[in-house]
Amino acid sequence: MAACNYHFLLFVLAVAVTASAQVNTTSNGTLSPDFYSSTCPEASSIVQKVVIAAIKNETRVGASLLRLHFHDCFVNGCDGSVLLDDNATFVGEKTSVPNNNSARGFNVVDQIKAALEQACPGVVSCADILALASRHSVVYLGGPSWTVQLGRRDSTTASRSASNTSIPPPTSNLSALISSYSAQGLSVQDLVTLSGAHTIGLTRCTSFRARIYNDSDIDPSFAKSLQRICPRNGSDNVLARLDLQTPTFFDNLYYKNLVNYKGILHSDEELFNGSSTTALLVKRYATDNSVFFKDFAKAIVKMGNIKPLTGTSGEVRINCRKVN
Ligand code: HEM
Ligand SMILES: *[C@@H]1O[C@H](CO)[C@@H](O)[C@H](O)[C@H]1NC(C)=O
Ligand SMILES: *[C@@H]1O[C@H](CO)[C@@H](O)[C@H](O)[C@H]1NC(C)=O
Ligand SMILES: *[C@@H]1O[C@H](CO)[C@@H](O)[C@H](O)[C@H]1NC(C)=O
Ligand SMILES: *[C@@H]1O[C@H](CO)[C@@H](O)[C@H](O)[C@H]1NC(C)=O
Ligand SMILES: *[C@@H]1O[C@H](CO)[C@@H](O)[C@H](O)[C@H]1NC(C)=O
Ligand SMILES: *[C@@H]1O[C@H](CO)[C@@H](O)[C@H](O)[C@H]1NC(C)=O
Ligand SMILES: *[C@@H]1O[C@H](CO)[C@@H](O)[C@H](O)[C@H]1NC(C)=O
Ligand SMILES: *[C@@H]1O[C@H](CO)[C@@H](O)[C@H](O)[C@H]1NC(C)=O
Ligand SMILES: *[C@@H]1O[C@H](CO)[C@@H](O)[C@H](O)[C@H]1NC(C)=O
Ligand SMILES: *[C@@H]1O[C@H](CO)[C@@H](O)[C@H](O)[C@H]1NC(C)=O
């Protein structure tokens, strides 16, 4: 019996040593921060360099990249599906309702991919590029950092109908937002926390028109000033800040605005107006930036773990716009 236990112990130790040497083995659906440590050790710094240059060229693009990660992950998992171009024989997600005339940053993804293909051909997936670019954008714009999980592979398909239905519209009420997140395995807290991404970036008139003419949970002078740039009809693509004060700085002013009924999207203000539990969390983030940062870092990793393709599923796209 003792000898048996002894051999069992040796076996367990051997398995543990073998497992810890395989830093990039993620074939059972789990990701790892070390996935590229032997195959493309510079992956993260290459992404960072291109992202910083792109943000220096156009500050908004950091927000655009972060949103692409979200729109990728909510549609059949974080698999780079949002990046595939439409063509005569293929319908992708770029022309879905949430993305058409709205999703952007694709040229920066191309630049990142080109730099990575030069350094380590065929190794770093487009889905991982979005995860890395999001972290580098948020950090560069003054937000929290987190350990990026890697090893996602790219889809060979996309779904415009899933993009239409899985990404909640800005007219959503709180219960619709909660169900949308719940369908992704994300909690009510994740909803409140991840919406804090709206501390950066811009929104079109068409996304907030109904709110500024119809809602009662909006500061009247804020509504009036937006009505001046966003008429009842026309000017659909006129842009306004998601965060009134600092749209190029990642901070908690987004939550302070919600408390003052100055959220620009109906879905944003719902977090404060829709229930007392979500309102409490909004107030906590509005008063404590460090709690927001800590929770955001956790929640975005969770979002990045939605149904990744791993192992030999999918592929590593050579061109993020096109299936190999
Ligand atoms: C809670 C549900 C959400 C809704 C209803 C929503 C809705 C929207 C809408 C309508 C826009 C403006 C699009 C336009 O008018 O062109 C927008 C922009 C944006 N969203 Fe969200 N969003 C949500 C969650 C998220 C999440 C989870 C993230 C990231 C973690 C995110 C990141 C962004 C960013 C950064 C922008 C600005 C993009 C840019 O300036 O290019 N959003 N969102
Ligand atoms: C799969 O991943 C989970 C989570 O890391 C781990 O607990 C489990 O042992 C793994 N299973 C196999 C068969 O490798
Ligand atoms: C994992 O690492 C090994 C050894 O560096 C490499 O041969 C293999 O291609 C890597 N696997 C993936 C999926 O990157
Ligand atoms: C710089 O940003 C503009 C948009 O403001 C874009 O059209 C242009 O392609 C960008 N330049 C580079 C080199 O990325
Ligand atoms: C996307 O927007 C363009 C330009 O506004 C429009 O012509 C096109 O019909 C839209 N596509 C879809 C699928 O709605
Ligand atoms: C997505 O929604 C738009 C607008 O409702 C619709 O025109 C389009 O057919 C939908 N696409 C799919 C594939 O469901
Ligand atoms: C929230 O929106 C959903 C979908 O539009 C609707 O069915 C539901 O009645 C709304 N709930 C409330 C409380 O307004
Ligand atoms: C305001 O709400 C009404 C009723 O839901 C709707 O018909 C109308 O289009 C809305 N107004 C705007 C500007 O969206
Ligand atoms: C939402 O806003 C409306 C209008 O300001 C207000 O009457 C209602 O009490 C608010 N609901 C909650 C839960 O705060
Ligand atoms: C513009 O909006 C007004 C008020 O909602 C409406 O009466 C009018 O018919 C609209 N005009 C067009 C061209 O849609
Ligand atoms: C159209 O897109 C699909 C998916 O990316 C790709 O497989 C196909 O080769 C493309 N067709 C052309 C003509 O580029």
Side-chain angles (χ1 to χ4, degrees):
M1 192 61 187
C4 183
N5 277 341
Y6 178 69
H7 283 107
F8 179 70
L9 184 63
L10 278 184
F11 172 74
V12 168
L13 281 172
V15 168
V17 167
T18 309
S20 68
Q22 293 174 344
V23 286
N24 67 353
T25 302
T26 59
S27 55
N28 82 345
T30 53
L31 304 173
S32 149
D34 304 320
F35 189 75
Y36 299 115
S37 64
S38 60
T39 53
C40 195
E42 303 303 310
S44 179
S45 60
I46 290 169
V47 176
Q48 180 182 39
K49 203 170 142 222
V50 181
V51 163
I52 290 175
I55 295 177
K56 281 183 173 162
N57 172 60
E58 192 213 17
T59 326
R60 183 187 177 191
V61 86
S64 308
L65 291 165
L66 175 60
R67 185 170 184 236
L68 283 183
H69 185 38
F70 163 52
H71 284 203
D72 183 28
C73 292
F74 266 53
V75 182
N76 297 320
C78 312
D79 60 0
S81 57
V82 71
L83 301 173
L84 290 172
D85 277 346
D86 282 23
N87 63 36
T89 57
F90 184 85
V91 177
E93 294 166 17
K94 289 184 179 179
T95 51
S96 70
V97 174
N99 291 334
N100 199 27
N101 301 312
S102 181
R104 59 199 302 285
F106 300 111
N107 290 335
V108 178
V109 175
D110 292 341
Q111 288 168 18
I112 296 168
K113 185 62 177 170
L116 287 168
E117 285 302 303
Q118 195 153 36
C120 350
V123 170
V124 182
S125 69
C126 300
D128 280 349
I129 287 174
L130 292 181
L132 285 166
S134 294
R135 202 272 306 264
H136 288 306
S137 294
V138 168
V139 169
Y140 188 71
L141 298 173
S145 189
W146 59 89
T147 301
V148 182
Q149 295 290 328
L150 298 166
R152 300 169 191 81
R153 288 167 63 85
D154 298 322
S155 68
T156 54
T157 58
S159 173
R160 184 158 78 184
S161 62
S163 181
N164 270 355
T165 56
S166 302
I167 298 168
T171 49
S172 306
N173 60 32
L174 183 64
S175 56
L177 292 169
I178 291 173
S179 340
S180 164
Y181 274 62
S182 165
Q184 304 287 348
L186 297 175
S187 68
V188 176
Q189 175 167 329
D190 294 327
L191 163 65
V192 177
T193 310
L194 289 169
S195 296
H198 290 172
T199 177
I200 53 175
L202 304 175
T203 171
R204 292 166 303 154
C205 164
T206 190
S207 301
F208 61 82
R209 176 181 285 124
R211 166 158 172 76
I212 62 174
Y213 290 102
N214 275 341
D215 284 4
S216 53
D217 60 346
I218 187 167
D219 175 273
S221 64
F222 176 61
K224 274 215 173 61
S225 72
L226 289 169
Q227 286 166 7
R228 281 195 281 273
I229 62 160
C230 180
R232 284 184 186 273
N233 41 44
S235 305
D236 279 9
N237 294 324
V238 164
L239 296 169
R241 299 164 165 191
L242 280 164
D243 166 353
L244 197 51
Q245 296 85 3
T246 55
T248 61
F249 196 69
F250 198 101
D251 56 26
N252 67 339
L253 285 176
Y254 164 80
Y255 295 104
K256 290 185 202 266
N257 289 329
L258 298 187
V259 170
N260 293 318
Y261 296 100
K262 288 179 180 169
I264 192 165
L265 302 180
H266 178 78
S267 52
D268 288 334
E269 201 60 56
E270 276 291 293
L271 304 176
F272 186 65
N273 192 243
S275 82
S276 56
T277 36
T278 55
L280 261 177
L281 194 53
V282 167
K283 281 191 259 185
R284 183 153 165 70
Y285 291 155
T287 52
D288 195 336
N289 194 55
S290 67
V291 175
F292 167 48
F293 275 20
K294 196 166 94 358
D295 286 359
F296 188 85
K298 259 195 271 177
I300 193 118
V301 169
K302 202 168 157 190
M303 186 184 88
N305 281 336
I306 297 171
K307 292 199 326 206
L309 295 171
T310 58
T312 54
S313 308
E315 62 181 21
V316 173
R317 264 180 239 147
I318 304 303
N319 171 350
C320 293
R321 295 176 179 271
K322 201 170 172 296
V323 169
N324 290 344

